[in-house]
Amino acid sequence: MHIHIIIPAINEAENLLQLLPYLAEELGSNGKIIVSDGGSNDGSREVCNAMGVDFFESPKKGRGPQMNFAAAEYPNTDVFYFLHADTRPPKGFCDDLRESVELGFPIGCYRFTFDSPSPLLAINSFFTRFSPLPFRGGDQSLYVTKNVFKKLDGFNSGMLIMEDYDIIERARAQFPFRIIPRCVCVSARKYQSNNYFRVQWANLTIFRMYRRGASQEAMMTKYKSMLN
């Protein structure tokens, strides 16, 4: 099975230095790694070039547009695997994706854990094993077969925020969705630069706004005002 790993990024050179060699070793000759950039000025391009990873500047900034752009540039694959630059999938993740597709789940994600021993963050991690939409999110990474991604018309490129929830919600209405019973490891940097309760309140506020149909601009402005 051919896998294209697509990483949307802006100024993630430090994380890419750590992530890309790991992904390359795990992926081997079974696919391609693509960084879809939203305007970095921290040497991200040079990091990718040095490691032989394809680097593209997306014409539109934002995770959704950046991921769609890379998927359109590289359509010849079996599975797209969308991964944040500060998230590391478990060893053997290619086998996990292959098994999930063979089991009849064309789209799905992992649970997650944080790179922090915080007991409060362990609570967040625990709940990612459950299926309700509030326990999902882009940090858990997302795999989707090419055919299903095409049927979904990809991510909503008009969304500035919550694009991960939107595509999962649309997908689960049409296709079997699997939460792989292993964890990706997610950076706790957002919680460290703010604090646990501040981030939790911001996440809850934006999710409620999303459910009420608030505009993208309103959600983005609110989120930025609540966190550093």
Side-chain angles (χ1 to χ4, degrees):
M1 187 175 76
H2 202 74
I3 301 169
H4 281 172
I5 303 173
I6 294 177
I7 304 169
I10 300 178
N11 291 329
E12 292 283 7
E14 184 176 345
N15 281 317
L16 292 173
L17 274 169
Q18 303 298 319
L19 178 64
L20 296 179
Y22 172 78
L23 295 178
E25 182 178 357
E26 286 288 311
L27 187 61
S29 61
N30 297 315
K32 184 177 285 290
I33 304 168
I34 306 116
V35 172
S36 187
D37 193 77
S40 295
N41 58 11
D42 67 341
S44 291
R45 178 188 291 274
E46 289 74 19
V47 169
C48 293
N49 289 344
M51 297 186 185
V53 169
D54 289 2
F55 179 96
F56 284 92
E57 289 189 15
S58 173
K60 186 175 180 181
K61 182 178 178 180
R63 279 180 173 152
Q66 287 171 226
M67 292 186 286
N68 281 344
F69 175 73
E73 290 290 314
Y74 289 93
N76 296 322
T77 188
D78 299 307
V79 171
F80 291 117
Y81 183 44
F82 299 100
L83 182 71
H84 291 178
D86 62 352
T87 300
R88 178 174 291 205
K91 285 188 175 296
F93 70 87
C94 292
D95 291 333
D96 290 340
L97 305 190
R98 185 178 298 107
E99 177 188 54
S100 291
V101 172
E102 290 174 352
L103 287 172
F105 295 94
I107 184 169
C109 67
Y110 280 96
R111 303 172 185 177
F112 72 57
T113 188
F114 286 97
D115 62 351
S116 164
S118 165
L120 290 173
L121 292 179
I123 295 172
N124 289 39
S125 301
F126 175 78
F127 280 99
T128 61
R129 70 191 61 210
F130 301 118
S131 63
L133 190 64
F135 304 143
R136 302 277 66 80
D139 287 337
Q140 296 165 2
S141 68
L142 184 76
Y143 79 85
V144 55
T145 63
K146 177 184 68 175
N147 291 337
V148 165
F149 189 73
K150 184 176 180 179
K151 289 176 182 177
L152 292 169
D153 290 325
F155 293 91
N156 185 336
S157 288
M159 298 186 76
L160 305 171
I161 191 170
M162 303 295 282
E163 76 290 331
D164 41 7
Y165 291 88
D166 170 74
I167 195 171
I168 289 173
E169 194 167 26
R170 288 187 288 118
R172 294 204 309 195
Q174 303 177 59
F175 306 102
F177 185 95
R178 187 184 189 208
I179 303 169
I180 299 172
R182 296 215 292 156
C183 292
V184 296
C185 184
V186 177
S187 170
R189 59 182 175 173
K190 181 165 58 177
Y191 291 88
Q192 292 163 349
S193 61
N194 296 275
N195 67 60
Y196 177 82
F197 296 103
R198 187 176 179 182
V199 174
Q200 290 297 96
W201 182 244
N203 289 342
L204 176 61
T205 298
I206 300 307
F207 186 81
R208 292 175 66 184
M209 291 177 70
Y210 170 71
R211 280 304 203 195
R212 293 198 302 266
S215 72
Q216 288 289 297
E217 291 76 12
M219 285 191 286
M220 180 62 78
T221 299
K222 185 66 174 178
Y223 193 69
K224 288 183 175 180
S225 74
M226 296 181 76
L227 298 178
N228 294 328

